[in-house]
Amino acid sequence: MGLIRLMDEPLSNKIAAGEVVERPASVVKELVENAIDAGGTAIEVLLLEAGLTSIQIVDNGAGMDTDDALMAFSRHATSKIANEHDLFRIRTLGFRGEALASIASVSKVTLHTSDGKTGTFVQMEGGRLIEHRAGSLRKGTDIKIDQLFFNTPARLKYLKTLQTELGHTIDLMNRLALSYPGIAFRLVHDGKAVLQTSGSGEIKRVISDIYGVSIAKKMIPFESESNDYKVSGFASLPEITRANKNYISLFVNGRWVKHYAIANTVHKAYHTFLPLERQPIVILNIEGDPYLTDVNVHPAKQQIRLSKEKELMELIHSTIRKTISSVVRAPVIEQPKAQKSAPTRQLDLWKSSYTVQEPPAGETASAPKPQLQQQPETALPGIPTDFPEDTRQPSSGLRQSSADIELPADSVQPEEALSREESGQEMDQFEDAGPQFPELEVVGQIHGTYIVAQSSDGFYLVDQHAAQERIKYEFFREKVGDIDAGERQALLLPLTFHYSRDEALRLKDALEVLSESGVFLEEFGDTSFIVREHPTWFPKGFEQEIIEELIEQVLDERKVDVKKIREEAAIMMSCKRSIKANHYLQKHEMERLLADLKAAEQPFTCPHGRPVIIHFKTYDVEKMFKRVM
Ligand code: ADP
Ligand code: MG
């Protein structure tokens, strides 16, 4: 007798539940998606004990008639697709017809639903029908999941703390709210509202509901399209940063998806606007023919396979980069409106985030006098003058976006701490100020580190190291990008490099790429290489180091990306010989530096994303001194 037999439905559902129902948040996801597909405009989620005790979802959508209400719990029961053709044209969030069956198989479910004509009540337990009868005629659906995983104790064990589980659900609800600003969502945990959106249709309002008003004010809208895709959304100003990519929310045709490559592209669009390792907040909506966006990759429908991915990535990159480039400028030190009596507090904040040297309160005059224009002892290595004169102008063909500011991570808060009242204030500044580099007159230098300069609208502190890094970066970036035109210089003694066998193999594959960024490696036996010459623009004394670092980059990357290598090479070289702090400059050197900075494409940040220049507005300074109120 054969050993194989078909499983009964509750068993196969329970197995399917293994993939679809991982934790309370996955139940919430499936049920809220159903409510959205049913056209609900107000959706409420009520949790007890992070959903472990119960999860209830109430919507005002289309509801179901009695037959459908019973049918809905069968595996493969769906109203959303009818044939194979539909599978490639999915416009709903659900389509697999397995969520309700899976959820019901591992919990106790009560369902009240009505399409306005019939009302139905259904009760299930462990996937088996317990009871059904006529019920209320309130149109919509009210579904409650009690004792999730009551019959699959192993699953329960995998759950994390209540706090973590709740965190997953809040995160999910945030994303749903962001992708459906027209729906009023409410999430209530143990009687307390955790999230509530208005359903007004404005994403910006949802952003504000979720991340707070001050963040919302610093989110810049964007929108553009290519042949096949349209992208739109909001991108944070570079002054707002986060430690991880969790704040990059990606939606494809209304579906929240996780897509490593897209998130990475978004991050790259901020390159040199943000400090390394920091991430922006971005809401990115991608719309395209469902035919191009295959969501039938995983039961949880959070992964997606995209056609014409390259086109889409370019669209995303250029759109976000342009958006950010167009709004950044030097950060402004402002007098807090509500804190008129405590100017020092604000300075403290800046000190902590920028290490701006602050005169001790009330004793400016007696503080050690900044040494203005002290003579340097020797000619300074690394002052911009050591660039070959004729090659200093950054090429205009090198579109490396524009300037930017970046306030360190926690600088989002200062503004709240300072309780600035006017909400529209900062946005307005960005809108009408534009990234214009001011006309500056050098006043002097502080601590051999900051150049003090003035213009008609106040005074400025320029971090000389950061400024020179920016200038050099743009210089090298052009150089690294234009290797063929560059002259080479022979080394007196060839340099030798040794690598392990597998590294050597990888390097042999990358010889061409390396030569494109100025490293001319020649094979020398199995695992060694020599370099006989290098481009003339390699900073003197750093040849070996630079070549090693470039090789390292190639070895680190899984795939070789010339553009990226060039970019990183430029950043690295710009850093190598830039004037450090504690270096006294002569006035003409400072003037030269500021003039070069002004000519830079992005004068406001160094290539690592830190600010180069800080503006103290005349008006704000006057307010600090109480000359004006
Ligand atoms: P899918 O969403 O993939 O179709 P589900 O198992 O999640 O599969 O749901 C099965 C069917 O039940 C849906 O296709 C839909 O017709 C119906 N349904 C589920 N939830 C709701 C709801 N909140 N309002 C109206 N109909 C619903
Ligand atoms: Mg569904």
Side-chain angles (χ1 to χ4, degrees), residues 45-54 162-163 166 187-194:
V45 178
L46 305 149
L47 305 180
L48 290 180
E49 290 194 288
L52 287 179
T53 304
S54 87
L162 289 187
Q163 207 46 44
L166 179 63
L187 171 63
V188 180
H189 180 239
D190 290 344
K192 267 196 245 126
V194 195

PDB file of all heavy atoms in Angstrom, residues 45-54 162-163 166 187-194:
ATOM      1  N   VAL A  45      -6.955  49.162  14.432  1.00  0.00           N
ATOM      2  CA  VAL A  45      -6.290  47.938  14.883  1.00  0.00           C
ATOM      3  C   VAL A  45      -6.199  47.994  16.398  1.00  0.00           C
ATOM      4  O   VAL A  45      -5.641  48.937  16.954  1.00  0.00           O
ATOM      5  CB  VAL A  45      -4.872  47.833  14.282  1.00  0.00           C
ATOM      6  CG1 VAL A  45      -4.165  46.588  14.788  1.00  0.00           C
ATOM      7  CG2 VAL A  45      -4.937  47.846  12.766  1.00  0.00           C
ATOM      8  N   LEU A  46      -6.784  46.995  17.055  1.00  0.00           N
ATOM      9  CA  LEU A  46      -6.765  46.976  18.516  1.00  0.00           C
ATOM     10  C   LEU A  46      -5.980  45.766  18.985  1.00  0.00           C
ATOM     11  O   LEU A  46      -6.298  44.639  18.607  1.00  0.00           O
ATOM     12  CB  LEU A  46      -8.199  46.894  19.042  1.00  0.00           C
ATOM     13  CG  LEU A  46      -9.133  48.000  18.537  1.00  0.00           C
ATOM     14  CD1 LEU A  46     -10.562  47.510  18.442  1.00  0.00           C
ATOM     15  CD2 LEU A  46      -9.032  49.216  19.424  1.00  0.00           C
ATOM     16  N   LEU A  47      -4.959  46.001  19.767  1.00  0.00           N
ATOM     17  CA  LEU A  47      -4.129  44.893  20.239  1.00  0.00           C
ATOM     18  C   LEU A  47      -4.228  44.768  21.747  1.00  0.00           C
ATOM     19  O   LEU A  47      -4.306  45.772  22.452  1.00  0.00           O
ATOM     20  CB  LEU A  47      -2.652  45.141  19.919  1.00  0.00           C
ATOM     21  CG  LEU A  47      -2.233  45.416  18.480  1.00  0.00           C
ATOM     22  CD1 LEU A  47      -0.727  45.638  18.429  1.00  0.00           C
ATOM     23  CD2 LEU A  47      -2.625  44.247  17.585  1.00  0.00           C
ATOM     24  N   LEU A  48      -4.220  43.528  22.216  1.00  0.00           N
ATOM     25  CA  LEU A  48      -4.020  43.309  23.642  1.00  0.00           C
ATOM     26  C   LEU A  48      -2.713  42.554  23.784  1.00  0.00           C
ATOM     27  O   LEU A  48      -2.459  41.586  23.052  1.00  0.00           O
ATOM     28  CB  LEU A  48      -5.171  42.504  24.243  1.00  0.00           C
ATOM     29  CG  LEU A  48      -6.511  43.236  24.347  1.00  0.00           C
ATOM     30  CD1 LEU A  48      -7.569  42.328  24.968  1.00  0.00           C
ATOM     31  CD2 LEU A  48      -6.380  44.534  25.151  1.00  0.00           C
ATOM     32  N   GLU A  49      -1.892  43.000  24.683  1.00  0.00           N
ATOM     33  CA  GLU A  49      -0.570  42.385  24.890  1.00  0.00           C
ATOM     34  C   GLU A  49       0.161  42.169  23.576  1.00  0.00           C
ATOM     35  O   GLU A  49       0.517  41.044  23.211  1.00  0.00           O
ATOM     36  CB  GLU A  49      -0.714  41.068  25.643  1.00  0.00           C
ATOM     37  CG  GLU A  49      -1.117  41.297  27.083  1.00  0.00           C
ATOM     38  CD  GLU A  49      -0.916  40.023  27.874  1.00  0.00           C
ATOM     39  OE1 GLU A  49      -1.702  39.085  27.673  1.00  0.00           O
ATOM     40  OE2 GLU A  49       0.028  39.989  28.675  1.00  0.00           O
ATOM     41  N   ALA A  50       0.375  43.260  22.900  1.00  0.00           N
ATOM     42  CA  ALA A  50       1.127  43.261  21.637  1.00  0.00           C
ATOM     43  C   ALA A  50       0.531  42.318  20.591  1.00  0.00           C
ATOM     44  O   ALA A  50       1.197  41.962  19.627  1.00  0.00           O
ATOM     45  CB  ALA A  50       2.598  42.932  21.879  1.00  0.00           C
ATOM     46  N   GLY A  51      -0.711  41.904  20.801  1.00  0.00           N
ATOM     47  CA  GLY A  51      -1.360  41.038  19.824  1.00  0.00           C
ATOM     48  C   GLY A  51      -1.357  39.577  20.207  1.00  0.00           C
ATOM     49  O   GLY A  51      -2.003  38.754  19.571  1.00  0.00           O
ATOM     50  N   LEU A  52      -0.625  39.246  21.259  1.00  0.00           N
ATOM     51  CA  LEU A  52      -0.577  37.837  21.657  1.00  0.00           C
ATOM     52  C   LEU A  52      -1.887  37.393  22.261  1.00  0.00           C
ATOM     53  O   LEU A  52      -2.326  36.255  22.071  1.00  0.00           O
ATOM     54  CB  LEU A  52       0.563  37.611  22.647  1.00  0.00           C
ATOM     55  CG  LEU A  52       1.924  37.675  21.968  1.00  0.00           C
ATOM     56  CD1 LEU A  52       3.039  37.466  22.965  1.00  0.00           C
ATOM     57  CD2 LEU A  52       1.990  36.609  20.875  1.00  0.00           C
ATOM     58  N   THR A  53      -2.538  38.255  22.986  1.00  0.00           N
ATOM     59  CA  THR A  53      -3.842  37.922  23.545  1.00  0.00           C
ATOM     60  C   THR A  53      -4.932  38.116  22.494  1.00  0.00           C
ATOM     61  O   THR A  53      -5.740  37.225  22.259  1.00  0.00           O
ATOM     62  CB  THR A  53      -4.123  38.789  24.783  1.00  0.00           C
ATOM     63  OG1 THR A  53      -3.068  38.594  25.700  1.00  0.00           O
ATOM     64  CG2 THR A  53      -5.445  38.410  25.420  1.00  0.00           C
ATOM     65  N   SER A  54      -4.938  39.274  21.858  1.00  0.00           N
ATOM     66  CA  SER A  54      -5.869  39.425  20.751  1.00  0.00           C
ATOM     67  C   SER A  54      -5.487  40.546  19.797  1.00  0.00           C
ATOM     68  O   SER A  54      -4.783  41.491  20.166  1.00  0.00           O
ATOM     69  CB  SER A  54      -7.300  39.633  21.267  1.00  0.00           C
ATOM     70  OG  SER A  54      -7.530  41.001  21.513  1.00  0.00           O
ATOM     71  N   LEU A 162       7.269  41.368  24.434  1.00  0.00           N
ATOM     72  CA  LEU A 162       6.076  42.089  23.985  1.00  0.00           C
ATOM     73  C   LEU A 162       6.475  43.390  23.310  1.00  0.00           C
ATOM     74  O   LEU A 162       5.912  43.797  22.301  1.00  0.00           O
ATOM     75  CB  LEU A 162       5.162  42.384  25.171  1.00  0.00           C
ATOM     76  CG  LEU A 162       4.445  41.177  25.784  1.00  0.00           C
ATOM     77  CD1 LEU A 162       3.450  41.651  26.839  1.00  0.00           C
ATOM     78  CD2 LEU A 162       3.745  40.355  24.717  1.00  0.00           C
ATOM     79  N   GLN A 163       7.475  44.044  23.890  1.00  0.00           N
ATOM     80  CA  GLN A 163       7.919  45.329  23.368  1.00  0.00           C
ATOM     81  C   GLN A 163       8.403  45.196  21.929  1.00  0.00           C
ATOM     82  O   GLN A 163       8.062  45.984  21.061  1.00  0.00           O
ATOM     83  CB  GLN A 163       9.049  45.854  24.278  1.00  0.00           C
ATOM     84  CG  GLN A 163       9.178  47.355  24.310  1.00  0.00           C
ATOM     85  CD  GLN A 163       7.831  48.051  24.488  1.00  0.00           C
ATOM     86  OE1 GLN A 163       7.011  47.638  25.314  1.00  0.00           O
ATOM     87  NE2 GLN A 163       7.583  49.074  23.686  1.00  0.00           N
ATOM     88  N   LEU A 166       5.431  44.422  19.634  1.00  0.00           N
ATOM     89  CA  LEU A 166       4.651  45.639  19.420  1.00  0.00           C
ATOM     90  C   LEU A 166       5.393  46.565  18.461  1.00  0.00           C
ATOM     91  O   LEU A 166       4.808  47.162  17.557  1.00  0.00           O
ATOM     92  CB  LEU A 166       4.395  46.342  20.757  1.00  0.00           C
ATOM     93  CG  LEU A 166       3.608  47.647  20.660  1.00  0.00           C
ATOM     94  CD1 LEU A 166       2.210  47.406  20.105  1.00  0.00           C
ATOM     95  CD2 LEU A 166       3.520  48.335  22.025  1.00  0.00           C
ATOM     96  N   LEU A 187      -4.115  52.799  15.657  1.00  0.00           N
ATOM     97  CA  LEU A 187      -3.574  51.608  16.309  1.00  0.00           C
ATOM     98  C   LEU A 187      -3.669  51.819  17.812  1.00  0.00           C
ATOM     99  O   LEU A 187      -3.163  52.800  18.339  1.00  0.00           O
ATOM    100  CB  LEU A 187      -2.107  51.399  15.898  1.00  0.00           C
ATOM    101  CG  LEU A 187      -1.323  50.317  16.649  1.00  0.00           C
ATOM    102  CD1 LEU A 187      -1.920  48.928  16.412  1.00  0.00           C
ATOM    103  CD2 LEU A 187       0.148  50.319  16.220  1.00  0.00           C
ATOM    104  N   VAL A 188      -4.358  50.891  18.464  1.00  0.00           N
ATOM    105  CA  VAL A 188      -4.568  51.031  19.899  1.00  0.00           C
ATOM    106  C   VAL A 188      -3.969  49.819  20.598  1.00  0.00           C
ATOM    107  O   VAL A 188      -4.278  48.681  20.242  1.00  0.00           O
ATOM    108  CB  VAL A 188      -6.077  51.126  20.227  1.00  0.00           C
ATOM    109  CG1 VAL A 188      -6.295  51.260  21.725  1.00  0.00           C
ATOM    110  CG2 VAL A 188      -6.705  52.293  19.481  1.00  0.00           C
ATOM    111  N   HIS A 189      -3.096  50.067  21.547  1.00  0.00           N
ATOM    112  CA  HIS A 189      -2.496  48.953  22.278  1.00  0.00           C
ATOM    113  C   HIS A 189      -2.902  49.009  23.745  1.00  0.00           C
ATOM    114  O   HIS A 189      -2.683  50.025  24.402  1.00  0.00           O
ATOM    115  CB  HIS A 189      -0.965  49.005  22.160  1.00  0.00           C
ATOM    116  CG  HIS A 189      -0.304  47.883  22.903  1.00  0.00           C
ATOM    117  ND1 HIS A 189       0.600  48.082  23.910  1.00  0.00           N
ATOM    118  CD2 HIS A 189      -0.448  46.542  22.782  1.00  0.00           C
ATOM    119  CE1 HIS A 189       0.997  46.915  24.378  1.00  0.00           C
ATOM    120  NE2 HIS A 189       0.380  45.969  23.718  1.00  0.00           N
ATOM    121  N   ASP A 190      -3.479  47.939  24.236  1.00  0.00           N
ATOM    122  CA  ASP A 190      -3.961  47.874  25.622  1.00  0.00           C
ATOM    123  C   ASP A 190      -4.702  49.153  26.011  1.00  0.00           C
ATOM    124  O   ASP A 190      -4.449  49.742  27.064  1.00  0.00           O
ATOM    125  CB  ASP A 190      -2.783  47.639  26.581  1.00  0.00           C
ATOM    126  CG  ASP A 190      -2.220  46.218  26.432  1.00  0.00           C
ATOM    127  OD1 ASP A 190      -2.916  45.355  25.840  1.00  0.00           O
ATOM    128  OD2 ASP A 190      -1.096  45.975  26.885  1.00  0.00           O
ATOM    129  N   GLY A 191      -5.561  49.595  25.110  1.00  0.00           N
ATOM    130  CA  GLY A 191      -6.406  50.753  25.416  1.00  0.00           C
ATOM    131  C   GLY A 191      -5.782  52.096  25.099  1.00  0.00           C
ATOM    132  O   GLY A 191      -6.450  53.124  25.173  1.00  0.00           O
ATOM    133  N   LYS A 192      -4.508  52.104  24.738  1.00  0.00           N
ATOM    134  CA  LYS A 192      -3.870  53.398  24.453  1.00  0.00           C
ATOM    135  C   LYS A 192      -3.593  53.555  22.965  1.00  0.00           C
ATOM    136  O   LYS A 192      -3.034  52.655  22.343  1.00  0.00           O
ATOM    137  CB  LYS A 192      -2.530  53.499  25.202  1.00  0.00           C
ATOM    138  CG  LYS A 192      -2.671  54.160  26.559  1.00  0.00           C
ATOM    139  CD  LYS A 192      -1.300  54.593  27.075  1.00  0.00           C
ATOM    140  CE  LYS A 192      -0.932  53.829  28.307  1.00  0.00           C
ATOM    141  NZ  LYS A 192       0.238  53.122  28.454  1.00  0.00           N
ATOM    142  N   ALA A 193      -3.956  54.723  22.419  1.00  0.00           N
ATOM    143  CA  ALA A 193      -3.693  54.956  20.995  1.00  0.00           C
ATOM    144  C   ALA A 193      -2.200  55.161  20.771  1.00  0.00           C
ATOM    145  O   ALA A 193      -1.566  55.981  21.415  1.00  0.00           O
ATOM    146  CB  ALA A 193      -4.465  56.177  20.517  1.00  0.00           C
ATOM    147  N   VAL A 194      -1.644  54.363  19.882  1.00  0.00           N
ATOM    148  CA  VAL A 194      -0.213  54.448  19.608  1.00  0.00           C
ATOM    149  C   VAL A 194       0.039  55.218  18.313  1.00  0.00           C
ATOM    150  O   VAL A 194       1.067  55.848  18.126  1.00  0.00           O
ATOM    151  CB  VAL A 194       0.404  53.042  19.457  1.00  0.00           C
ATOM    152  CG1 VAL A 194       1.910  53.113  19.550  1.00  0.00           C
ATOM    153  CG2 VAL A 194      -0.139  52.086  20.489  1.00  0.00           C
TER     154      VAL A 194
END
